[in-house]
Amino acid sequence: PERMTARRLTSKKHRDYSEATDNEIAGSLDVLRFRPDLAIVDDWKTGRFVDHPGESVQQRGYALGGLILYNVPRVECGIVRVNAQQDPIRLVATFEADQLRAFAGELVQLRGKIRDKTQRPNPSALACRYCPIKKTCDVAYQEKKGQRAA
């Protein structure tokens, strides 16, 4: 976000973010489409919904990536619940470019607070295994040692 760039990482296996540097935020999109006026990013969920896409930091991050990659005026971001018992359900939020640029600034500030240890990250128990900075993160270290705070 500091440089407003995005790139695709090559992957050796599922959710392999080893190419990401400490200055990059990595994630895996399920669907990325675009047209001249809109990028569409969807994240498929087979479990429970955690947040509406308009409230989810993960989804706003994906939307920011769509904005940077395609330089569009807005990004539609969806969470699609997929399971065998019912038809897919898609929740949608649309972000204007200015909203996503402001969010990029928030990410830069958050990253600085985490590095300065003035804010402690609070990922879900499963999220640490996918994080590219887990080698230097106190939360991931405590998780590995079985000392995760509730």
Side-chain angles (χ1 to χ4, degrees), residues 30-45:
D30 292 314
V31 177
L32 175 59
R33 301 173 287 172
F34 75 98
R35 56 185 198 223
D37 63 332
L38 180 73
I40 301 167
V41 295
D42 281 343
D43 191 21
W44 295 352
K45 300 289 186 187

Side-chain angles (χ1 to χ4, degrees), residues 40-105:
I40 301 167
V41 295
D42 281 343
D43 191 21
W44 295 352
K45 300 289 186 187
T46 56
R48 63 179 176 83
F49 284 121
V50 288
D51 287 319
H52 186 277
E55 302 299 321
S56 168
V57 172
Q58 177 187 19
Q59 301 309 313
R60 286 185 287 162
Y62 291 160
L64 178 61
L67 173 77
I68 295 168
L69 284 171
Y70 298 112
N71 192 29
V72 291
R74 78 185 64 71
V75 180
E76 182 181 287
C77 188
I79 294 178
V80 182
R81 183 176 181 145
V82 181
N83 68 46
Q85 287 76 37
Q86 64 188 46
D87 290 337
I89 300 169
R90 184 171 185 256
L91 301 176
V92 178
T94 301
F95 300 98
E96 300 297 323
D98 289 345
Q99 290 175 290
L100 294 171
R101 287 187 192 98
F103 175 65

